[in-house]
Amino acid sequence: MAEKYYAGIDVGSHSTEAVIIDDNKQQLSFSIIDTGLDGNAAAENALNLALAKIGINRENLNGIVATGYGRANVTNAGKQVTEITCHATGAHHIFPQAGTVIDMGGQDSKVIHIDENGQLVDFVMNDKCAAGTGRFLEVMAKRLGSDLDQFGNLALLSEQAVPISNTCTVFAESEVVSLLAKNHPRDQIIRGLHQAIVDRIWAQSQTVGIHGAVIMTGGVALNQGVIQLLEDKLKCELLVPPQPQIVGALGAALIAHRNFR
Amino acid sequence: MKDVGAPALIGLRELTRKKRSRSQSQLFGPPLECTNRLKEIMTRHYYLARFATGAKPVAWVTSGAPVELLRSFGFYTIYPENHGALVGAKKQGAAMCSIAESAGYSPDLCSYARIDLAHTLSGKTPTGRLPKPDLLFASNNICQTITYWFKAISYHYNIPLILFDTPYNYTELAQTDINYMVEQLQQMIPILEQASERKFNNSKFAEIVGRARETSLTWGAILATMRNSPAPMTIFETFFHLAPIVSLRGLPVAHDYYQILLTELEERVRDGIGATSREVKRLMWDNIAIWYKVRDHSIQFAEQGMNFVTATYTNAWAETTQHLDINNPFESMAKTYSLVILNNNLDYRLKLMQRLIQEYQVDGLVIHSARSCKPYSVGQYDIKRKLYQELKIPAVIIDGDITDERAYSDEQTKTRLDAFFEILGN
Ligand SMILES: Nc1ncnc2c1ncn2[C@@H]1O[C@H](COP(=O)(O)OP(=O)(O)OP(=O)(O)O)[C@@H](O)[C@H]1O
Ligand code: SF4
Ligand SMILES: [Mg+2]
């Protein structure tokens, strides 16, 4: 009997990921690309990339599940599931002890409470604007002349933070400009920005409560500054998967496995 | 009379049959026959309002004001909140709000207030015309916004504002509070006599109080039919059928209408006719309707086999009016109006919701966090957590607004609701 494969595709506001797993739920391959303007095209490209890496054809896929903002437009998916359930499923698979999943992406941050079976119990999301999410960090990194992958580390250079009162991206940007004009050290401003975002996600987490082991997923989990400051604030360790950005796509692949075997 | 004031019911009409596609109409049971009668009543009310000026004293009244007293003097009443809902259902909320904003009112101000101020400033209304008020009659039992909003209207028209001040109920209603409120009601009488050029008539007043009580009890019985499974009506329909109890309370027309509606619903229950074709899960709604989304939501939930069977909002007009007592009209009105959900503590609200969840066999809760309505939206996260802890009822919070569609995002709401459906489907 031919080997069976399952794919999950996460079309997020920032990036699109695809994950391929086999019948034993082993992750075989993944891809991460920018979403760009056409979500459906990004889904196609990400899937093709992940398939090509292991030399598997589309016909060998038993099922595809799409998630993320662009999920409704992924024409070749057999099922659409929210990123909330997908991040929960993916995180539980990697860390079976998971009780809380914090997913911070480009425009959304979510705190998800799951039970011991990885089932969704409750969640909270940021409100409409992208204040205090990954996009905020991108804009601030650019404004402060830092690469995104270094930005978090810069926040850890200084013990002191200049308090930033706004998590609204537009207001915070002008606040940063005026702080720079007043000669506040750049590292301290960067730490202040990270602290602001951490305070916000912390407040969000308190509305659903922290349960069991806390997993951090999404692109912002690559930011060491956020991880460390959030650990301090929550007074607990955060478990970060090796590839935090693909957890949603992995969850989607696992759901494909459950539904299309 | 065609179409006058009918916008109030546009959402309702759409909700029933006209614009639904074939596959959508399969989601619902047969439409309620009463809907046409409701439409006639509200159309007539707004139509006659055009001719009220000069013929009758006109009062603009808030939803939680003790209108029974006012009615005994023969006032024609207009409810700006009902008008706001109507503007919202017609999807004209944002346009109206921006008129008020251009006059300097903050976008953070309640959108009912912004719509009313916009109408006052520009004369715009989908009803054609609203009669100029001779008097304003308000109670701060729903919020403080009312006080300042009605002050602004009072200033604009240079007319008296009567404000019924209801002390917030932190724990239990004290006799001193009741006395304070009764005294206020009595002080209103000479002012109302002057404004209406009529003498206060105690027996007429008692009659109106009695009728308001009967009407509210009937409204309660109407809601109670939804305890049956399948429920004969959805909460989205009750949002519209609520109009008479809010704005025509104490008048025979409201009383008679609800008798007929109740009979129709009881027949449906007897025949096992549900409002939705599939009622797999039963839900509760918290806060005021998202007026411009009522139709979309009704379809979205029906597609999932979910029906809303109760709401704190619609329940409000059945909850405290039972205190009304013709033998003790003043004191009973003080209780009725000061114990309303928005003037009551969070513990009260929590217990009320627990009771509704049990009585209506609710499986899940949708909480609308309304940008306009701070008093209704405060504490919702705590309530959500408590209800989960105590009853294991899953809930979702959606951000939006009652009438200002700029404060609502379809995409974000969809993700939240889809995740909520996934929780309930587990
Ligand atoms: N190398 C990196 N180092 C630090 N942060 C990063 C890095 N790459 C991405 N990020 C952060 O991750 C964010 C994007 O996260 P992710 O890819 O999970 O978003 P998404 O799933 O597309 O968005 P959403 O879930 O909100 O729709 C960026 O906004 C950025 O802040
Ligand atoms: S919606 Fe809320 S804030 Fe606005 S008038 Fe009503 S109670 Fe007051
Ligand atoms: Mg994402």
Side-chain angles (χ1 to χ4, degrees):
Chain A
M1 193 173 92
E3 188 63 78
K4 294 175 179 171
Y5 303 98
Y6 307 86
I9 309 174
D10 179 355
V11 185
S13 62
H14 179 270
S15 48
T16 296
E17 298 86 8
V19 168
I20 316 282
I21 61 171
D22 66 15
D23 221 14
N24 300 320
K25 302 188 195 174
Q26 284 303 314
Q27 179 181 313
L28 303 178
S29 156
F30 72 88
S31 63
I32 305 177
I33 62 172
D34 282 349
T35 299
L37 294 177
D38 183 348
N40 193 29
E44 278 293 306
N45 294 341
L47 181 61
N48 288 337
L49 263 173
L51 288 168
K53 277 189 189 173
I54 45 175
I56 288 176
N57 287 328
R58 183 72 67 94
E59 298 77 66
N60 298 113
L61 290 176
N62 252 36
I64 304 175
V65 166
T67 187
Y69 259 97
R71 66 186 179 280
N73 303 324
V74 180
T75 43
N76 56 24
K79 188 176 166 72
Q80 276 92 17
V81 180
T82 65
E83 59 264 43
I84 298 164
T85 294
C86 288
H87 276 268
T89 307
H92 172 79
H93 179 76
I94 304 170
F95 299 108
Q97 73 274 39
T100 305
V101 183
I102 299 177
D103 166 36
M104 290 183 80
Q107 82 176 33
D108 273 334
S109 56
K110 317 169 183 79
V111 181
I112 307 164
H113 172 198
I114 57 177
D115 67 15
E116 59 284 0
N117 302 315
Q119 298 280 17
L120 193 55
V121 175
D122 192 11
F123 65 92
V124 63
M125 277 172 86
N126 60 310
D127 54 24
K128 278 175 302 300
C129 74
T133 62
R135 179 84 192 122
F136 172 88
L137 289 170
E138 284 178 58
V139 172
M140 295 308 144
K142 197 174 231 169
R143 165 58 71 188
L144 287 152
S146 159
D147 282 342
L148 195 55
D149 46 3
Q150 283 315 307
F151 197 47
N153 296 333
L154 295 178
L156 300 175
L157 287 182
S158 168
E159 288 279 295
Q160 284 180 9
V162 179
I164 305 281
S165 48
N166 280 295
T167 44
C168 162
T169 312
V170 177
F171 287 168
E173 199 173 355
S174 49
E175 198 176 342
V176 164
V177 171
S178 83
L179 289 170
L180 286 171
K182 287 180 196 148
N183 288 324
H184 285 281
R186 178 167 167 265
D187 296 348
Q188 293 185 17
I189 296 175
I190 294 176
R191 192 177 174 100
L193 286 165
H194 281 75
Q195 193 62 54
I197 221 174
V198 162
D199 289 350
R200 196 175 161 107
I201 190 80
W202 176 82
Q204 240 182 59
S205 75
Q206 298 307 296
T207 68
V208 288
I210 294 291
H211 310 265
V214 187
I215 321 301
M216 175 109 182
T217 66
V220 178
L222 294 168
N223 179 311
Q224 277 313 307
V226 170
I227 295 286
Q228 196 165 316
L229 293 176
L230 187 56
E231 284 184 333
D232 292 348
K233 183 92 184 176
L234 285 171
K235 299 192 181 68
C236 73
E237 188 197 358
L238 293 178
L239 303 175
V240 182
Q243 297 288 346
Q245 261 174 305
I246 65 167
V247 175
L250 171 64
L254 291 162
I255 292 169
H257 179 272
R258 193 188 304 154
N259 281 273
F260 302 114
R261 274 192 92 181
Chain B
M1 270 224 242
K2 195 171 156 281
D3 243 23
V4 182
L9 301 150
I10 278 188
L12 179 60
R13 206 175 23 176
E14 288 183 348
L15 209 87
T16 48
R17 102 194 89 185
K18 292 218 169 102
K19 285 194 188 161
R20 273 187 194 154
S21 72
R22 192 116 170 255
S23 64
Q24 281 169 357
S25 55
Q26 284 169 356
L27 297 169
F28 300 93
L32 284 169
E33 297 197 354
C34 263
T35 302
N36 283 333
R37 190 180 292 255
L38 172 66
K39 189 182 151 193
E40 270 167 35
I41 292 171
M42 294 313 292
T43 301
R44 196 177 149 77
H45 172 67
Y46 277 104
Y47 182 73
L48 290 180
R50 294 180 171 191
F51 306 103
T53 313
K56 272 188 161 198
V58 174
W60 285 11
V61 187
T62 67
S63 62
V67 71
E68 293 77 8
L69 184 60
L70 196 68
R71 291 219 190 283
S72 73
F73 293 94
F75 279 87
Y76 202 90
T77 54
I78 290 293
Y79 279 72
E81 292 156 83
N82 177 249
H83 177 249
L86 172 168
V87 169
K90 205 161 163 31
K91 303 191 174 146
Q92 294 180 358
M96 288 289 274
C97 284
S98 62
I99 295 176
E101 286 158 27
S102 69
Y105 288 99
S106 162
D108 289 328
L109 181 64
C110 167
S111 61
Y112 280 170
R114 275 178 288 154
I115 288 171
D116 192 40
L117 289 160
H119 160 263
T120 303
L121 295 170
S122 70
K124 285 199 178 131
T125 163
T127 64
R129 181 151 49 88
L130 292 181
K132 182 181 159 310
D134 300 303
L135 177 102
L136 301 171
F137 195 63
S139 173
N140 57 9
N141 58 352
I142 49 172
C143 63
Q144 288 303 325
T145 302
I146 281 284
T147 311
Y148 300 97
W149 155 16
F150 271 57
K151 267 190 183 173
I153 304 285
S154 154
Y155 178 81
H156 180 90
Y157 287 114
N158 191 21
I159 49 168
L161 159 64
I162 296 182
L163 180 75
F164 182 47
D165 176 37
T166 52
Y168 188 82
N169 186 36
Y170 289 98
T171 46
E172 244 169 82
L173 193 57
Q175 189 59 43
T176 47
D177 291 337
I178 295 178
N179 297 346
Y180 167 66
M181 289 184 276
V182 167
E183 219 168 282
Q184 289 180 62
L185 291 169
Q186 281 164 348
Q187 282 171 1
M188 290 172 194
I189 291 175
I191 304 168
L192 292 170
E193 282 181 331
Q194 205 188 355
S196 67
E197 296 172 0
R198 281 199 202 183
K199 276 269 156 231
F200 175 62
N201 178 335
N202 199 32
S203 64
K204 184 150 197 210
F205 172 51
E207 179 193 319
I208 291 168
V209 169
R211 198 182 296 123
R213 178 185 152 83
E214 287 307 311
T215 312
S216 287
L217 290 175
T218 311
W219 176 247
I222 285 168
L223 296 180
T225 62
M226 295 164 80
R227 289 180 194 169
N228 292 285
S229 183
M233 176 157 68
T234 80
I235 218 66
F236 298 117
E237 291 168 293
T238 57
F239 286 160
F240 292 99
H241 290 275
L242 184 67
I245 188 76
V246 177
S247 54
L248 304 173
R249 188 171 65 258
L251 296 176
V253 63
H255 180 259
D256 298 347
Y257 173 67
Y258 286 131
Q259 295 295 337
I260 299 169
L261 176 59
L262 178 60
T263 307
E264 186 180 352
L265 290 169
E266 283 171 347
E267 278 167 14
R268 281 187 164 226
V269 170
R270 207 185 43 230
D271 300 341
I273 299 174
T276 53
S277 314
R278 234 161 33 95
E279 187 184 281
V280 184
K281 297 282 178 182
R282 296 162 60 84
L283 306 180
M284 171 155 82
W285 177 274
D286 186 47
N287 212 330
I288 301 170
I290 304 178
W291 290 109
Y292 44 90
K293 281 287 159 192
V294 167
R295 175 184 143 87
D296 290 355
H297 285 156
S298 75
I299 293 169
Q300 216 175 336
F301 283 91
E303 278 171 352
Q304 302 290 329
M306 296 182 187
N307 187 20
F308 282 91
V309 295
T310 182
T312 53
Y313 175 50
T314 47
N315 181 67
W317 280 267
E319 190 66 26
T320 62
T321 19
Q322 57 194 313
H323 294 298
L324 285 176
D325 177 3
I326 52 169
N327 299 315
N328 198 357
F330 287 103
E331 200 167 315
S332 71
M333 283 215 302
K335 282 188 196 151
T336 298
Y337 288 106
S338 69
L339 291 174
V340 295
I341 184 167
L342 294 183
N343 200 48
N344 226 323
N345 56 73
L346 269 192
D347 200 42
Y348 165 88
R349 200 188 292 192
L350 183 68
K351 293 207 173 93
L352 169 76
M353 289 172 85
Q354 284 172 332
R355 199 193 78 217
L356 291 176
I357 286 170
Q358 267 144 7
E359 284 177 357
Y360 287 81
Q361 298 157 55
V362 168
D363 301 303
L365 168 64
V366 176
I367 298 173
H368 167 211
S369 173
R371 193 179 160 89
S372 274
C373 195
K374 286 80 181 172
Y376 216 144
S377 306
V378 76
Q380 286 177 319
Y381 281 94
D382 294 305
I383 285 188
K384 171 175 179 255
R385 199 181 53 239
K386 286 255 178 199
L387 287 176
Y388 186 78
Q389 278 167 1
E390 286 165 28
L391 299 175
K392 291 278 171 280
I393 293 293
V396 64
I397 295 185
I398 53 178
D399 292 294
D401 188 62
I402 51 182
T403 70
D404 187 346
E405 60 266 36
R406 294 169 299 178
Y408 181 90
S409 152
D410 263 323
E411 259 318 299
Q412 292 230 341
T413 310
K414 185 171 173 8
T415 299
R416 284 167 172 77
L417 289 181
D418 283 350
F420 178 65
F421 297 149
E422 287 162 9
I423 292 180
L424 280 177
N426 279 338

